[in-house]
Amino acid sequence: MELFFIFALSSVAILWLFYRWSDRRIIQFASKVGSYKSQVILGFGAIETPATLLRNSIKNCRKLGHNYLTYVGPFPHFFTSDPETIKCILTSKLTRSKPKLSYSGFRHALGNGLLTMTDKEWQPHRKLLDVAFKFSKVVEFVPIFNNKISRLFEELDTCHVMENSHEILVFCREYMMTITGETMLGRDLDKSPTFDVKYCAQRVTRALEYISEIMFNILYLIMYFTNIKFIIKLADIMVLKEKRKILDFFRNQIDETYNHYSKGTQNDIEYLENSDKAIARYFHEIIKNNIIKKDLAITSMMHIFAASFESTSSTLYKTMLMLAIHPEYQEKVYAEICKMFPANDGGEFQVTYEHVTQLTYLDMFIKETMRIFATIPMFGRLAVGGDLTLSNGIVIPEGLEMGIDVYNLHRNKDVWGSEADTFNPDNFLPSNVEKRHPYAYVPFAKGLRNCIGMRFAEVTLRVAMAKLIKRYKFSTTAKIEDFVLFNRISLDFDDHPPLTIEQRSKLSN
């Protein structure tokens, strides 16, 4: 028995030494950046969850600096919130791939598409899709952004003092769902007999919980790493069945849209007469011409739909909160909008793209909201085809997963000054922007693999907020420092703060 015990211990020690030997380049790299020695020695670190990931990244950044290596369970990751390092990563042709492990849960939930493809797959696919998101196409969508706001008006008009403002986020999701329905699918979802916008917007939270659960759960990551994927599929069927249903429903809706365009069905009230502008019509054409497989077209549309819908609705909601917390800035934005649209119209005016370019303080306010509350607080890259040499000479080994820590980058005091945690739209005055590193602000990523829907999101946000600010006054008792944040793919609140919404027309009476 004693010999068996010695043999077992010896075997474990040998396996551990082999494991550390295989990590020798990572260990060498760790000596050149911030790291926890105990983690490097053991090859094991904290088990992260959506609730702890952001909190630990803030702690690690303070202790280890803006470039550091840490282990997430048994998996080494390099995290950076340094603008020069981020520039090196995002502009290198070696790092156009997404990390296989970190994005495995997202890939499992939505399929392999635009957001998860490796570099060789991604390049030709992105080139195809750039046509559908060109600038002129976004400008064509502006009337839709204007017209669909009526749904949001109807719902916000019924609100006043809200102890928990989560319902406002749901209303923003409904608004964005109808916009993505028209612009991407060519469908008026409010007229659909199968698509209940309100119900789907409410269920999105559960779908996000499902995606974040399988993205950050260490057991899922280990199962992916060891290729035991059948257990995850079993969990989908047994444990996560209800959360999975909403994603399957969206997939079926996209499939149904492509089938409609293939058959050329007429007189369907939910399909728009001018649906030729819809992104799904473009997808349909390249499917028909055998340029892309239908399954990939469905998956990529899922990726685009999810990213544009959730990130924009989340930023709309957070912008309302920032207006409420900072009444002095709210009045400045309101004055700018009233100067451009002086009629007493309750936000019923039509915003053009030219108007958007001239609302400079509104632009600054939205950008500052996205700085303080980075919509996607972290995204990843992977070096493929060689090691990546940074501008300071440090070499990141090929295959090491890299996390771009947007949240801490946007609050980096070396870049934004001692008041980096304070909300101040003046951070985006042209004179201040010129002084900063060009990669100090990356809400839509940047470089060779930036966000395809960046212009779409920027214009949607500005059109919607111009109309909302003209119609409503927002107030709250909450303070930024009271918020408990966590990473559920997009940045979310543990508890949604109170929010009071008042129609300005009633305030003046």
mmCIF file of all heavy atoms in Angstrom, residues 229-252:
data_model
loop_
_atom_site.group_PDB
_atom_site.id
_atom_site.type_symbol
_atom_site.label_atom_id
_atom_site.label_comp_id
_atom_site.label_asym_id
_atom_site.label_seq_id
_atom_site.Cartn_x
_atom_site.Cartn_y
_atom_site.Cartn_z
ATOM 1 N N LYS A 229 -17.562 17.283 -25.724
ATOM 2 C CA LYS A 229 -18.633 18.225 -26.042
ATOM 3 C C LYS A 229 -20.017 17.624 -25.855
ATOM 4 O O LYS A 229 -20.986 18.359 -25.719
ATOM 5 C CB LYS A 229 -18.467 18.735 -27.471
ATOM 6 C CG LYS A 229 -17.179 19.524 -27.679
ATOM 7 C CD LYS A 229 -17.027 19.996 -29.104
ATOM 8 C CE LYS A 229 -15.691 20.695 -29.298
ATOM 9 N NZ LYS A 229 -15.478 21.105 -30.702
ATOM 10 N N PHE A 230 -20.091 16.299 -25.839
ATOM 11 C CA PHE A 230 -21.414 15.688 -25.726
ATOM 12 C C PHE A 230 -22.068 16.007 -24.385
ATOM 13 O O PHE A 230 -23.296 16.069 -24.274
ATOM 14 C CB PHE A 230 -21.321 14.165 -25.924
ATOM 15 C CG PHE A 230 -20.773 13.408 -24.753
ATOM 16 C CD1 PHE A 230 -21.612 12.916 -23.759
ATOM 17 C CD2 PHE A 230 -19.406 13.198 -24.625
ATOM 18 C CE1 PHE A 230 -21.105 12.221 -22.678
ATOM 19 C CE2 PHE A 230 -18.898 12.510 -23.545
ATOM 20 C CZ PHE A 230 -19.746 12.011 -22.569
ATOM 21 N N ILE A 231 -21.248 16.257 -23.339
ATOM 22 C CA ILE A 231 -21.808 16.597 -22.028
ATOM 23 C C ILE A 231 -22.487 17.969 -22.086
ATOM 24 O O ILE A 231 -23.541 18.187 -21.491
ATOM 25 C CB ILE A 231 -20.715 16.579 -20.943
ATOM 26 C CG1 ILE A 231 -20.139 15.154 -20.812
ATOM 27 C CG2 ILE A 231 -21.278 17.039 -19.600
ATOM 28 C CD1 ILE A 231 -19.039 15.022 -19.802
ATOM 29 N N ILE A 232 -21.872 18.906 -22.848
ATOM 30 C CA ILE A 232 -22.475 20.227 -23.000
ATOM 31 C C ILE A 232 -23.797 20.114 -23.752
ATOM 32 O O ILE A 232 -24.785 20.761 -23.396
ATOM 33 C CB ILE A 232 -21.507 21.171 -23.739
ATOM 34 C CG1 ILE A 232 -20.223 21.333 -22.921
ATOM 35 C CG2 ILE A 232 -22.157 22.530 -23.968
ATOM 36 C CD1 ILE A 232 -19.182 22.170 -23.582
ATOM 37 N N LYS A 233 -23.815 19.299 -24.780
ATOM 38 C CA LYS A 233 -25.061 19.103 -25.530
ATOM 39 C C LYS A 233 -26.131 18.468 -24.645
ATOM 40 O O LYS A 233 -27.316 18.802 -24.741
ATOM 41 C CB LYS A 233 -24.794 18.242 -26.761
ATOM 42 C CG LYS A 233 -23.953 18.957 -27.821
ATOM 43 C CD LYS A 233 -23.734 18.083 -29.046
ATOM 44 C CE LYS A 233 -22.909 18.830 -30.094
ATOM 45 N NZ LYS A 233 -22.653 18.004 -31.291
ATOM 46 N N LEU A 234 -25.685 17.555 -23.782
ATOM 47 C CA LEU A 234 -26.615 16.934 -22.846
ATOM 48 C C LEU A 234 -27.169 17.973 -21.878
ATOM 49 O O LEU A 234 -28.367 17.980 -21.566
ATOM 50 C CB LEU A 234 -25.909 15.811 -22.079
ATOM 51 C CG LEU A 234 -26.786 14.936 -21.169
ATOM 52 C CD1 LEU A 234 -27.806 14.167 -22.000
ATOM 53 C CD2 LEU A 234 -25.917 13.969 -20.369
ATOM 54 N N ALA A 235 -26.298 18.885 -21.429
ATOM 55 C CA ALA A 235 -26.735 19.959 -20.534
ATOM 56 C C ALA A 235 -27.741 20.869 -21.230
ATOM 57 O O ALA A 235 -28.700 21.339 -20.615
ATOM 58 C CB ALA A 235 -25.534 20.771 -20.058
ATOM 59 N N ASP A 236 -27.529 21.099 -22.534
ATOM 60 C CA ASP A 236 -28.483 21.897 -23.311
ATOM 61 C C ASP A 236 -29.874 21.278 -23.281
ATOM 62 O O ASP A 236 -30.884 21.967 -23.164
ATOM 63 C CB ASP A 236 -28.027 22.013 -24.769
ATOM 64 C CG ASP A 236 -26.915 23.023 -24.955
ATOM 65 O OD1 ASP A 236 -26.679 23.810 -24.030
ATOM 66 O OD2 ASP A 236 -26.303 23.032 -26.033
ATOM 67 N N ILE A 237 -29.904 19.976 -23.411
ATOM 68 C CA ILE A 237 -31.175 19.263 -23.485
ATOM 69 C C ILE A 237 -31.836 19.147 -22.114
ATOM 70 O O ILE A 237 -33.050 19.324 -21.973
ATOM 71 C CB ILE A 237 -30.964 17.849 -24.078
ATOM 72 C CG1 ILE A 237 -30.436 17.958 -25.510
ATOM 73 C CG2 ILE A 237 -32.253 17.039 -24.050
ATOM 74 C CD1 ILE A 237 -29.956 16.636 -26.082
ATOM 75 N N MET A 238 -31.028 18.903 -21.083
ATOM 76 C CA MET A 238 -31.569 18.594 -19.758
ATOM 77 C C MET A 238 -31.696 19.826 -18.847
ATOM 78 O O MET A 238 -32.755 20.103 -18.313
ATOM 79 C CB MET A 238 -30.685 17.550 -19.068
ATOM 80 C CG MET A 238 -30.529 16.256 -19.868
ATOM 81 S SD MET A 238 -32.082 15.349 -20.055
ATOM 82 C CE MET A 238 -32.332 14.818 -18.373
ATOM 83 N N VAL A 239 -30.597 20.570 -18.700
ATOM 84 C CA VAL A 239 -30.538 21.641 -17.700
ATOM 85 C C VAL A 239 -30.880 23.012 -18.288
ATOM 86 O O VAL A 239 -31.582 23.813 -17.679
ATOM 87 C CB VAL A 239 -29.131 21.692 -17.051
ATOM 88 C CG1 VAL A 239 -29.084 22.764 -15.964
ATOM 89 C CG2 VAL A 239 -28.752 20.333 -16.495
ATOM 90 N N LEU A 240 -30.381 23.282 -19.495
ATOM 91 C CA LEU A 240 -30.486 24.624 -20.073
ATOM 92 C C LEU A 240 -31.501 24.700 -21.208
ATOM 93 O O LEU A 240 -31.447 25.597 -22.040
ATOM 94 C CB LEU A 240 -29.100 25.067 -20.579
ATOM 95 C CG LEU A 240 -27.991 25.064 -19.522
ATOM 96 C CD1 LEU A 240 -26.634 25.232 -20.164
ATOM 97 C CD2 LEU A 240 -28.223 26.161 -18.498
ATOM 98 N N LYS A 241 -32.422 23.759 -21.215
ATOM 99 C CA LYS A 241 -33.373 23.628 -22.319
ATOM 100 C C LYS A 241 -34.168 24.904 -22.555
ATOM 101 O O LYS A 241 -34.305 25.379 -23.685
ATOM 102 C CB LYS A 241 -34.325 22.459 -22.038
ATOM 103 C CG LYS A 241 -35.310 22.188 -23.158
ATOM 104 C CD LYS A 241 -36.176 20.985 -22.807
ATOM 105 C CE LYS A 241 -37.184 20.709 -23.912
ATOM 106 N NZ LYS A 241 -38.046 19.532 -23.577
ATOM 107 N N GLU A 242 -34.712 25.490 -21.497
ATOM 108 C CA GLU A 242 -35.561 26.669 -21.646
ATOM 109 C C GLU A 242 -34.772 27.877 -22.148
ATOM 110 O O GLU A 242 -35.259 28.656 -22.961
ATOM 111 C CB GLU A 242 -36.235 27.002 -20.308
ATOM 112 C CG GLU A 242 -37.286 25.995 -19.878
ATOM 113 C CD GLU A 242 -38.382 25.829 -20.934
ATOM 114 O OE1 GLU A 242 -38.896 26.858 -21.417
ATOM 115 O OE2 GLU A 242 -38.705 24.682 -21.267
ATOM 116 N N LYS A 243 -33.532 28.042 -21.650
ATOM 117 C CA LYS A 243 -32.709 29.167 -22.089
ATOM 118 C C LYS A 243 -32.276 29.007 -23.540
ATOM 119 O O LYS A 243 -32.084 29.988 -24.261
ATOM 120 C CB LYS A 243 -31.488 29.308 -21.174
ATOM 121 C CG LYS A 243 -31.838 29.737 -19.760
ATOM 122 C CD LYS A 243 -30.617 29.879 -18.890
ATOM 123 C CE LYS A 243 -30.990 30.313 -17.473
ATOM 124 N NZ LYS A 243 -29.819 30.451 -16.592
ATOM 125 N N ARG A 244 -32.109 27.772 -23.974
ATOM 126 C CA ARG A 244 -31.693 27.497 -25.342
ATOM 127 C C ARG A 244 -32.824 27.773 -26.338
ATOM 128 O O ARG A 244 -32.573 28.133 -27.497
ATOM 129 C CB ARG A 244 -31.259 26.026 -25.441
ATOM 130 C CG ARG A 244 -30.821 25.559 -26.808
ATOM 131 C CD ARG A 244 -29.399 25.954 -27.100
ATOM 132 N NE ARG A 244 -29.220 26.232 -28.514
ATOM 133 C CZ ARG A 244 -28.049 26.460 -29.083
ATOM 134 N NH1 ARG A 244 -26.949 26.444 -28.354
ATOM 135 N NH2 ARG A 244 -27.952 26.712 -30.360
ATOM 136 N N LYS A 245 -34.041 27.636 -25.898
ATOM 137 C CA LYS A 245 -35.200 27.753 -26.795
ATOM 138 C C LYS A 245 -35.260 29.095 -27.511
ATOM 139 O O LYS A 245 -35.603 29.166 -28.681
ATOM 140 C CB LYS A 245 -36.500 27.540 -26.010
ATOM 141 C CG LYS A 245 -36.906 26.086 -25.857
ATOM 142 C CD LYS A 245 -38.257 26.001 -25.154
ATOM 143 C CE LYS A 245 -38.693 24.549 -25.009
ATOM 144 N NZ LYS A 245 -39.997 24.451 -24.311
ATOM 145 N N ILE A 246 -34.950 30.185 -26.790
ATOM 146 C CA ILE A 246 -35.071 31.509 -27.390
ATOM 147 C C ILE A 246 -34.064 31.678 -28.522
ATOM 148 O O ILE A 246 -34.354 32.297 -29.552
ATOM 149 C CB ILE A 246 -34.906 32.625 -26.324
ATOM 150 C CG1 ILE A 246 -35.250 33.998 -26.920
ATOM 151 C CG2 ILE A 246 -33.522 32.646 -25.733
ATOM 152 C CD1 ILE A 246 -36.678 34.190 -27.257
ATOM 153 N N LEU A 247 -32.851 31.122 -28.375
ATOM 154 C CA LEU A 247 -31.850 31.197 -29.444
ATOM 155 C C LEU A 247 -32.299 30.388 -30.657
ATOM 156 O O LEU A 247 -32.127 30.821 -31.802
ATOM 157 C CB LEU A 247 -30.495 30.702 -28.942
ATOM 158 C CG LEU A 247 -29.832 31.543 -27.843
ATOM 159 C CD1 LEU A 247 -28.538 30.894 -27.390
ATOM 160 C CD2 LEU A 247 -29.569 32.957 -28.337
ATOM 161 N N ASP A 248 -32.856 29.218 -30.402
ATOM 162 C CA ASP A 248 -33.364 28.388 -31.502
ATOM 163 C C ASP A 248 -34.508 29.095 -32.218
ATOM 164 O O ASP A 248 -34.649 28.995 -33.442
ATOM 165 C CB ASP A 248 -33.828 27.030 -30.969
ATOM 166 C CG ASP A 248 -32.669 26.172 -30.479
ATOM 167 O OD1 ASP A 248 -31.527 26.429 -30.905
ATOM 168 O OD2 ASP A 248 -32.904 25.263 -29.661
ATOM 169 N N PHE A 249 -35.321 29.830 -31.455
ATOM 170 C CA PHE A 249 -36.426 30.567 -32.056
ATOM 171 C C PHE A 249 -35.905 31.633 -33.013
ATOM 172 O O PHE A 249 -36.389 31.774 -34.140
ATOM 173 C CB PHE A 249 -37.293 31.208 -30.969
ATOM 174 C CG PHE A 249 -38.370 32.107 -31.505
ATOM 175 C CD1 PHE A 249 -39.533 31.567 -32.036
ATOM 176 C CD2 PHE A 249 -38.209 33.485 -31.488
ATOM 177 C CE1 PHE A 249 -40.533 32.395 -32.540
ATOM 178 C CE2 PHE A 249 -39.200 34.318 -31.986
ATOM 179 C CZ PHE A 249 -40.362 33.769 -32.515
ATOM 180 N N PHE A 250 -34.882 32.401 -32.597
ATOM 181 C CA PHE A 250 -34.309 33.421 -33.468
ATOM 182 C C PHE A 250 -33.705 32.793 -34.725
ATOM 183 O O PHE A 250 -33.849 33.321 -35.833
ATOM 184 C CB PHE A 250 -33.230 34.219 -32.716
ATOM 185 C CG PHE A 250 -33.779 35.313 -31.855
ATOM 186 C CD1 PHE A 250 -33.666 35.259 -30.472
ATOM 187 C CD2 PHE A 250 -34.415 36.406 -32.407
ATOM 188 C CE1 PHE A 250 -34.179 36.262 -29.674
ATOM 189 C CE2 PHE A 250 -34.935 37.426 -31.611
ATOM 190 C CZ PHE A 250 -34.806 37.356 -30.242
ATOM 191 N N ARG A 251 -33.026 31.690 -34.548
ATOM 192 C CA ARG A 251 -32.436 30.989 -35.703
ATOM 193 C C ARG A 251 -33.532 30.600 -36.691
ATOM 194 O O ARG A 251 -33.376 30.768 -37.916
ATOM 195 C CB ARG A 251 -31.664 29.760 -35.223
ATOM 196 C CG ARG A 251 -31.093 28.904 -36.345
ATOM 197 C CD ARG A 251 -30.264 27.761 -35.783
ATOM 198 N NE ARG A 251 -29.005 28.248 -35.250
ATOM 199 C CZ ARG A 251 -27.918 28.451 -35.989
ATOM 200 N NH1 ARG A 251 -27.936 28.197 -37.281
ATOM 201 N NH2 ARG A 251 -26.819 28.898 -35.439
ATOM 202 N N ASN A 252 -34.624 30.087 -36.189
ATOM 203 C CA ASN A 252 -35.732 29.668 -37.060
ATOM 204 C C ASN A 252 -36.346 30.863 -37.791
ATOM 205 O O ASN A 252 -36.767 30.745 -38.948
ATOM 206 C CB ASN A 252 -36.801 28.943 -36.244
ATOM 207 C CG ASN A 252 -36.337 27.592 -35.748
ATOM 208 O OD1 ASN A 252 -35.428 26.986 -36.317
ATOM 209 N ND2 ASN A 252 -36.938 27.104 -34.667
#
